[in-house]
Amino acid sequence: MASDNGKRRGFSRRRFIQGAAAAAAASGSILSSAAREEEDAEEKHGRRRRPPNDAPDTVLINGKIHTMDDEGTVVSAVSITDGRFAEVGHSSRSHHGPNTKVIDLRGRTVVPGIIDNHNHIVLMGNRPGFHTPLENAYSIPDVQAIYAARSAGLQNRDAWITTIGGFHFNHIYGNPSDPLSGRFPTLQELDAAVPNNPAFMMISFSGPGATNSAGKAILERQGVVVASNGAIAGGFGVTECSKALLYLRQTLLNAAERRRSVRDAMNYAVTVGVTTHLDQGAFQATNTAADGAAHEDNFTMHIPFLQVYAQDKAIIRLRINFLHMESDPATPELVQRLKNAFQFLGNDMVKTGAIGEFIAAGTSATSPFVAAAKRVAAAGWRAEVHSLGRRNTPASNPADFELEIMGFEAANADFPGVVRERRWVIAHVPGITQEWIDRLQAIGGNLSLTGWQYLAGNPTASTVAPYAGPPFRMIVDSGKRRDGIHAGLSSDGMQIAPMNPWLHMYYATTGINTRRVLINPNQQISREEVLSLYTRQNGWFLREEDQLGTIEPGKLADLVVLNSDYFAVPNEDLKKIRSVLTVVGGNVVYDGGVLDLRD
Ligand SMILES: [Zn+2]
């Protein structure tokens, strides 16, 4: 398939003007004289690239297209030329030629391609076996159907079907009417779905998990303890699950399998509408049973992705952060990275990012966190870190976000303006408070919000932060102030959280977890607000707000046609939102078969 490969084909000021003209025409006005003058100037300088009545490559008509632009404009048609939006306006005005692909949306809701500003899709693309997301399974029969379908699509009856993280048994109800009955399927239930392929699933970093009879027989030969019902113990550190994972990695992964896994991950992403991913790295693998789902080799795990991009088979946009977690005060690897790598280098499809989601091991006074922050600042890079903590009692024992904000302040004092100019970020922040939001805002820091508590989170008894977090309402309201804090949304998938953005939007707008318990009261935000965080605001987090995040003339043509009206469906149905058509750079990268795509 064609890709724009960063050549910025067809992008010119003129396309913006044409789009503006179309919008003006649609609203009954005419091309402004200022726009006409600019157009004449473009022509004089020979920048015009297309004849005036040149037809677009694709037009989508008769939709409810939420552009997410400054005014929240909703239009019915867009045209796409050379991978970018050309006209954004109304169906009756859209022009097209004999070779234009015309897609009739038949009233469907369209949103910009979802941008996930903090996830771990590179880990997902390096999973052993045929990784099969279970984040959309809500019952044992759902799991059985998903695994049976996966098996039916495989040539090899001996191939492992695996699910390594990204889901939780909390939302797989044994009894659909009882949200407290969450559990793994039993060995017998998995056998019924996939009698031949060995199967293995595990939650979080190192389990617990479950297997079927074929998987049990193989794993037991490797010394993994499997209960008679297929359960495999997990927890922290070396577990029966992590032993099984090591075996699967060592026997199943090779270069070709990793590339296949990359394409599987991409193919899943476009079904839920996530078109751009900012990857936040992995824990450095030790190649022992101490490694969990979040461990990989930070120095080689991007290779299969880069190969898929080089083969022109990639269908999502990837931005790559470099994770550094050194406890050595000299942070030698970070120093070399900053000397020898480049940030934001690449093209529209794949490029490097910042240092994150760790810049050093730990945040305490004994960790090199502050020194690392100053090194990142001195090199003029962006720093991204994460916080999972809450304020302690007494507050003299600071929480991780307090230490991080103080570290950012110290770096900013030595290199004035670096936090604001380079857009430094703290992610997740379930326990952050207004006082600390204000301190971070004062130096221009930014927050990436994550709905990861949705899967396993519980209410908190804390009087300081009486919510499971993050405090979406508090943070979004802080962003509305003058020079307010920038916020974006992210999944932090694919170990402790799902990738599916509609689950995170459900949690941000309802505060309700998978067990249907309200755990984030008084912090709900609106559907408009959360969709904005996941699209236009995240374009800003990528430093690509002029390229991505809204449907506007001249921007990269990424959009998602939804199976239902996001703005109108009942809360519970938010979880069922999927793409029926995903477009990246003007190319259809997922077709759910609902729309008529004949030319
Ligand atoms: Zn993360």
Side-chain angles (χ1 to χ4, degrees):
M1 77 163 227
S3 101
D4 42 43
N5 280 333
K7 282 180 287 214
R8 298 173 63 93
R9 292 179 311 194
F11 175 72
S12 76
R13 178 72 190 151
R14 182 176 170 78
R15 305 308 304 177
F16 273 109
I17 293 164
Q18 284 183 339
S27 63
S29 66
I30 55 162
L31 187 61
S32 76
S33 60
R36 203 181 297 278
E37 266 167 40
E38 279 207 67
E39 220 173 46
D40 291 346
E42 293 263 315
E43 218 138 313
K44 213 180 314 172
H45 289 96
R47 283 199 290 263
R48 239 183 81 185
R49 305 199 178 180
R50 313 182 71 87
N53 56 359
D54 185 27
D57 300 328
T58 305
V59 296
L60 296 96
I61 57 171
N62 301 325
K64 209 187 282 180
I65 302 170
H66 294 262
T67 66
M68 303 307 288
D69 67 4
D70 288 342
E71 284 81 39
T73 309
V74 181
V75 299
S76 61
V78 295
S79 68
I80 297 170
T81 298
D82 288 338
R84 292 179 183 267
F85 293 115
E87 295 173 334
V88 175
H90 290 281
S91 302
S92 57
R93 298 275 178 172
S94 72
H95 72 289
H96 48 84
N99 297 321
T100 301
K101 179 196 280 283
V102 180
I103 299 174
D104 187 344
L105 297 166
R106 288 182 272 161
R108 287 189 178 273
T109 298
V110 177
V111 299
I114 301 295
I115 301 169
D116 191 345
N117 81 29
H118 181 127
N119 76 24
H120 299 275
I121 193 170
V122 173
L123 278 163
M124 187 181 182
N126 281 278
R127 297 284 195 233
F130 286 81
H131 176 79
T132 303
L134 286 178
E135 61 190 43
N136 302 310
Y138 289 97
S139 65
I140 300 296
D142 283 353
V143 176
Q144 291 175 311
I146 290 167
Y147 266 41
R150 185 62 149 158
S151 175
L154 299 178
Q155 311 274 326
N156 184 353
R157 294 180 126 213
D158 298 332
W160 278 88
I161 298 174
T162 56
T163 307
I164 317 287
F167 75 109
H168 198 285
F169 55 78
N170 269 352
H171 70 173
I172 299 175
Y173 310 132
N175 170 2
S177 65
D178 175 10
L180 296 179
S181 65
R183 64 170 173 84
F184 286 113
T186 63
L187 177 138
Q188 291 77 16
E189 287 163 341
L190 279 174
D191 282 352
V194 281
N196 301 309
N197 301 86
F200 172 74
M201 62 178 67
M202 60 175 266
I203 62 166
S204 191
F205 294 145
S206 45
T211 187
N212 64 353
S213 292
K216 183 173 189 282
I218 296 168
L219 293 174
E220 283 181 336
R221 285 200 293 277
Q222 303 304 318
V224 176
V225 176
V226 181
S228 59
N229 68 351
I232 305 177
F236 292 104
V238 177
T239 65
E240 297 307 310
C241 268
S242 71
K243 286 194 236 169
L245 181 56
L246 180 67
Y247 166 73
L248 296 175
R249 280 175 166 154
Q250 292 186 331
T251 53
L252 301 180
L253 285 175
N254 57 42
E257 273 298 287
R258 287 181 196 264
R259 286 194 297 274
R260 194 267 307 152
S261 187
V262 166
R263 295 184 67 188
D264 280 358
M266 291 180 174
N267 283 329
Y268 175 70
V270 293
T271 68
V272 289
V274 186
T275 54
T276 301
H277 304 248
L278 172 49
D279 185 80
Q280 298 279 352
F283 298 130
Q284 181 57 37
T286 62
N287 301 317
T288 70
D291 292 350
H295 286 73
E296 249 299 336
D297 187 333
N298 272 299
F299 301 96
T300 59
M301 68 183 186
H302 303 104
I303 292 171
F305 277 82
L306 297 177
Q307 289 170 336
V308 169
Y309 280 97
Q311 292 170 343
D312 210 9
K313 290 177 178 167
I315 57 171
I316 58 156
R317 302 184 194 278
L318 177 66
R319 309 294 183 252
I320 298 166
N321 272 5
F322 302 110
L323 182 151
H324 286 272
M325 241 184 154
E326 296 169 276
S327 48
D328 181 338
T331 66
E333 277 177 11
L334 174 63
V335 167
Q336 290 307 318
R337 174 82 66 191
L338 295 170
K339 278 183 181 169
N340 294 295
F342 300 94
Q343 61 179 341
F344 315 126
L345 177 71
N347 59 44
D348 288 338
M349 291 300 284
V350 57
K351 66 171 74 167
T352 61
I355 305 298
E357 65 179 294
F358 296 99
I359 61 173
T363 50
S364 71
T366 55
S367 112
F369 183 85
V370 176
K374 289 182 178 180
R375 288 183 184 118
V376 175
W381 278 56
R382 182 174 72 206
E384 295 190 42
V385 299
H386 93 178
S387 159
L388 298 174
R390 312 185 157 274
R391 287 199 83 184
N392 295 306
T393 320
S396 55
N397 176 19
D400 56 0
F401 62 85
E402 298 173 71
L403 293 163
E404 287 164 352
I405 291 168
M406 288 188 278
F408 280 19
E409 287 170 340
N412 203 59
D414 283 8
F415 301 91
V418 70
V419 172
R420 187 183 305 278
E421 280 165 22
R422 294 294 153 180
R423 304 185 182 180
W424 286 23
V425 176
I426 302 179
H428 314 332
V429 292
I432 199 166
T433 59
Q434 188 71 58
E435 174 195 352
W436 288 89
I437 294 169
D438 294 347
R439 271 179 80 160
L440 184 61
Q441 180 185 312
I443 55 170
N446 312 286
L447 293 171
S448 170
L449 314 182
T450 308
W452 61 276
Q453 297 268 24
Y454 166 75
L455 274 190
N458 288 307
T460 167
S462 164
T463 52
V464 178
Y467 40 75
F472 293 105
R473 181 78 268 149
M474 184 191 298
I475 292 166
V476 168
D477 286 346
S478 300
K480 290 175 179 167
R481 303 179 299 199
R482 193 157 174 272
D483 292 326
I485 198 156
H486 279 270
L489 209 86
S490 61
S491 72
D492 200 23
M494 318 308 168
Q495 285 73 236
I496 60 164
M499 180 202 297
N500 184 342
W502 310 100
L503 299 177
H504 295 276
M505 290 193 240
Y506 170 85
Y507 182 66
T509 53
T510 67
I512 296 172
N513 71 2
T514 57
R515 293 192 156 204
R516 302 178 201 171
V517 179
L518 176 65
I519 63 170
N520 208 22
N522 306 315
Q523 294 299 338
Q524 297 94 335
I525 55 176
S526 72
R527 292 187 191 183
E528 288 80 1
E529 286 170 329
V530 71
L531 184 60
S532 175
L533 296 180
Y534 243 137
T535 54
R536 59 177 290 141
Q537 302 302 328
N538 278 353
W540 187 93
F541 273 73
L542 267 46
R543 300 185 78 86
E544 297 180 63
E545 64 269 29
D546 59 337
Q547 303 291 319
L548 291 168
T550 65
I551 296 174
E552 292 179 275
K555 286 198 174 177
L556 293 165
D558 298 358
L559 61 80
V560 189
V561 184
L562 303 179
N563 63 343
S564 61
D565 185 348
Y566 165 76
F567 291 96
V569 294
N571 282 341
E572 285 302 311
D573 288 351
L574 285 174
K575 300 174 186 174
K576 298 178 194 156
I577 292 184
R578 299 286 180 276
S579 171
V580 298
L581 188 82
T582 304
V583 173
V584 171
N587 296 304
V588 173
V589 295
Y590 171 67
D591 173 12
V594 172
L595 296 167
D596 183 358
L597 293 193
R598 285 172 303 183
D599 289 328

